[in-house]
Amino acid sequence: MLTSPCSGESGSIRPRFLAGMAVASAAALATSLALSGCYGMRFNDGGADVEFKGPRHVDPAGVALPPGYRIELVAAGLDMPTGVTFDRDGQPCIVESGYSYGEVFATPRLVRLEPDGSRTTLAEGRNGPWTGVVANDGVFFIAEGGVLEGGRILRVDGEGAVTVLIDDLPSVGDHHTNGPALAPDGSLYFGIGSATNSGVVGDDNIAFGWVDRYPRFCDIPGQTITLRGQNFESKTRQGTGAYSPLGVSAFEGETIRGETLCTGSLLSIPSTGGEPRLVAWGFRNPFGMAIAPDGALYVTDNGYDERGSRPVWGSPDVLWRVESDAWYGWPDYVAGRPVTNDEFKPPGEEHAQPLLLNPPGQPPKPVAEFECHSSADGFDFSRSEEFGHVGQAFVALFGDQAPATGKLLGAVGFKVVRVDVQTGLIEEFAVNRGPENGPASKVGGGGLERPIAARFSPDGRELYVVDFGVLTQPGPDQAVPRRQTGVLWKIARGGSEASVASAATEAEPLAEGSP
């Protein structure tokens, strides 16, 4: 049972996301996204715009790497995997999310890959998506997205016993509970994504299905804010304000109370459990996080989409070095720059205007900016001279979901990149071969589909890349993940070829429409 964080009374200080509201029908309300004429006429050729009939053909020879590196297939046929870590013996352990957009629900699982190639299920859940995992001394920590019941951070011991370290996290909207990352001092960091694209509940959120389940849910600030009083129209409701439930208007000077458990935030708890601490807020979707060799915390943040009542054009994904108690600018800044800049103006539409009357401060500058809609997700830092590039971040780019996020002239993402965090320079590291960029289902060759996480082995010599699998986007509100097409890859030094192939594999998905 869950409640809304927003009461919606005009002029009130709205309470946070608590425990206690009945879940409505899980069926999504059949509503299409509102498209402007200009948007509808634009050409689209993004990476998700592809017909996939299966099975998935997996072949490491389809991946190009820098000279001196090789790539191998570790496991295929994974079910929407999102993260990898290692047990005491160094065996890879994978989380399968159990959910990805729309109506695809499955069982989230923590699965160990055994030396003989078999797989052992260590733990299962029911409140996906499970978005990531980290381990220490045989104990696993999992971020449970909580699309149905709110987010949680779970502890799984060596016997598979599951303990909830914190729950009732406000992540039943567009984005979920993400992470985690474990610091040397035992602090466990995790993120909570924003409920909406840009601070306003609208038709796009109805199409995602969560407004039907939680009609009073909306974004929650990390400190008390004052609104400028803008209201936005949608096809189904009149006059929805920022940080307000659908159909609830805002007024100039309205105050919204800040909460520790807020959306668009980065928090921490002791790895043994305890009270949460708000580390920073003003993110849109802080998905990937990792501790650098110097002890600093870094996080990837997915940028705005061109959708909903307040679309934003051309927003990059970013890599932040986290400063404690900072505000990172969402919903009024993009990568540290005002949302009113011309570079973020949607074609044929007006600039988005600030929602906050008095912003909490000037956001920091990002360490690096990735291409718009590339979906910069899980990453890790190299610590081994045997692998090379010590201190640099290796970031998985999941790839675009055009046209839902905004139309594109070509595919963006679908690769692993290397980031020099001192200079912000981004270089391709693992990318599909071929004359154009995109997932293997679009460009052929049997290589990468959607890299979603990257994690170095305990000795630092090998980089494991979690490949979510095939996800197509037939229309603006139709994400179609293909189950059991996920893959785990391994990249290491060795060999003179740019890519060394093992035997190609056919990864057979479940039948179309299977739950």
Side-chain angles (χ1 to χ4, degrees):
M1 302 276 287
L2 295 176
T3 59
S4 162
C6 306
S7 65
E9 295 95 343
S10 179
S12 65
I13 300 290
R14 298 179 188 144
R16 76 164 181 91
F17 183 81
L18 304 171
M21 170 179 165
V23 178
S25 168
L29 185 62
T31 304
S32 297
L33 296 179
L35 300 178
S36 71
C38 176
Y39 181 92
M41 292 173 61
R42 266 186 259 151
F43 175 76
N44 177 68
D45 190 26
D49 188 11
V50 62
E51 292 186 11
F52 175 79
K53 297 181 180 179
R56 178 180 177 182
H57 175 68
V58 182
D59 186 355
V63 183
L65 297 168
Y69 288 88
R70 69 178 189 275
I71 185 168
E72 300 175 6
L73 171 65
V74 178
L78 300 171
D79 197 2
M80 299 183 288
T82 52
V84 64
T85 190
F86 304 91
D87 67 7
R88 282 196 181 102
D89 298 324
Q91 288 301 119
C93 299
I94 298 165
V95 285
E96 296 180 324
S97 64
Y99 165 84
S100 176
Y101 308 100
E103 291 302 305
V104 178
F105 290 88
T107 300
R109 301 192 306 165
L110 175 64
V111 179
R112 182 173 60 222
L113 303 181
E114 305 294 358
D116 63 1
S118 63
R119 303 173 189 180
T120 301
T121 298
L122 302 179
E124 294 185 341
R126 60 180 179 84
N127 185 37
W130 283 8
T131 59
V133 61
V134 67
N136 181 54
D137 195 26
V139 176
F140 302 90
F141 301 93
I142 295 171
E144 182 173 86
V147 68
L148 292 180
E149 301 177 12
R152 303 183 178 105
I153 299 297
L154 308 177
R155 180 187 186 274
V156 181
D157 68 18
E159 304 300 318
V162 178
T163 302
V164 177
L165 297 182
I166 186 170
D167 60 5
D168 288 336
L169 301 176
S171 58
V172 296
D174 281 12
H175 307 114
H176 307 119
T177 298
N178 303 318
L182 185 62
D185 67 359
S187 296
L188 195 63
Y189 292 93
F190 60 94
I192 302 175
S194 61
T196 62
N197 174 49
S198 59
V200 182
V201 182
D203 292 327
D204 54 332
N205 311 119
I206 293 176
F208 287 169
W210 64 263
V211 175
D212 187 40
R213 293 189 292 268
Y214 295 103
R216 309 300 293 172
F217 188 63
C218 61
D219 280 296
I220 308 164
Q223 64 188 85
T224 299
I225 58 172
T226 303
L227 301 180
R228 294 181 67 241
Q230 293 169 286
N231 292 296
F232 299 81
E233 307 301 319
S234 68
K235 292 176 66 175
T236 56
R237 294 289 195 283
Q238 303 298 310
T240 300
Y243 290 90
S244 304
L246 184 65
V248 175
S249 297
F251 61 88
E252 184 175 359
E254 181 178 2
T255 300
I256 310 295
R257 186 178 65 202
E259 300 289 345
T260 297
L261 298 184
C262 59
T263 57
S265 62
L266 189 67
L267 298 101
S268 71
I269 56 172
S271 58
T272 54
E275 289 299 311
R277 178 176 74 90
L278 178 59
V279 177
W281 71 290
F283 304 99
R284 181 176 175 275
N285 187 31
F287 189 88
M289 53 203 69
I291 310 295
D294 65 1
L297 175 65
Y298 287 76
V299 62
T300 53
D301 192 11
N302 299 154
Y304 302 72
D305 297 333
E306 189 197 356
R307 63 173 168 89
S309 301
R310 188 173 177 257
V312 178
W313 168 266
S315 171
D317 289 3
V318 299
L319 177 66
W320 302 107
R321 180 183 172 107
V322 177
E323 301 175 15
S324 186
D325 300 321
W327 175 66
Y328 281 80
W330 187 93
D332 285 351
Y333 287 77
V334 178
R337 306 187 293 278
V339 74
T340 52
N341 282 9
D342 285 344
E343 62 185 306
F344 307 126
K345 180 181 180 295
E349 300 187 34
E350 298 297 322
H351 287 95
Q353 295 300 311
L355 299 177
L356 307 183
L357 192 59
N358 296 304
Q362 176 64 40
K365 291 183 179 180
V367 170
E369 297 186 17
F370 305 94
E371 289 182 277
C372 174
H373 303 319
S374 58
S375 189
D377 291 338
F379 68 101
D380 201 2
F381 286 91
S382 175
R383 292 173 168 80
S384 170
E385 293 289 355
E386 292 190 47
F387 188 90
H389 306 294
V390 172
Q392 297 193 14
F394 288 76
V395 183
L397 303 185
F398 184 79
D400 70 76
Q401 287 182 246
T405 55
K407 292 189 176 182
L408 296 171
L409 298 179
V412 178
F414 308 100
K415 64 186 73 172
V416 178
V417 297
R418 174 170 58 85
V419 182
D420 185 331
V421 297
Q422 302 302 317
T423 65
L425 181 65
I426 299 172
E427 296 189 17
E428 290 183 339
F429 184 73
V431 62
N432 286 332
R433 298 181 185 274
E436 61 179 341
N437 184 53
S441 56
K442 188 178 181 77
V443 304
L448 304 169
E449 276 295 329
R450 289 188 175 272
I452 194 169
R455 178 69 55 82
F456 281 97
S457 59
D459 62 12
R461 297 177 180 177
E462 299 164 331
L463 178 65
Y464 285 75
V465 177
V466 180
D467 185 335
F468 180 87
V470 179
L471 184 146
T472 60
Q473 194 80 38
D477 55 353
Q478 297 175 305
V480 183
R482 309 305 174 103
R483 293 184 55 191
Q484 296 184 341
T485 61
V487 166
L488 182 66
W489 306 91
K490 180 173 69 176
I491 300 173
R493 277 271 181 86
S496 58
E497 298 291 331
S499 176
V500 177
S502 63
T505 301
E506 300 292 331
E508 182 73 48
L510 296 180
E512 190 73 28
S514 297

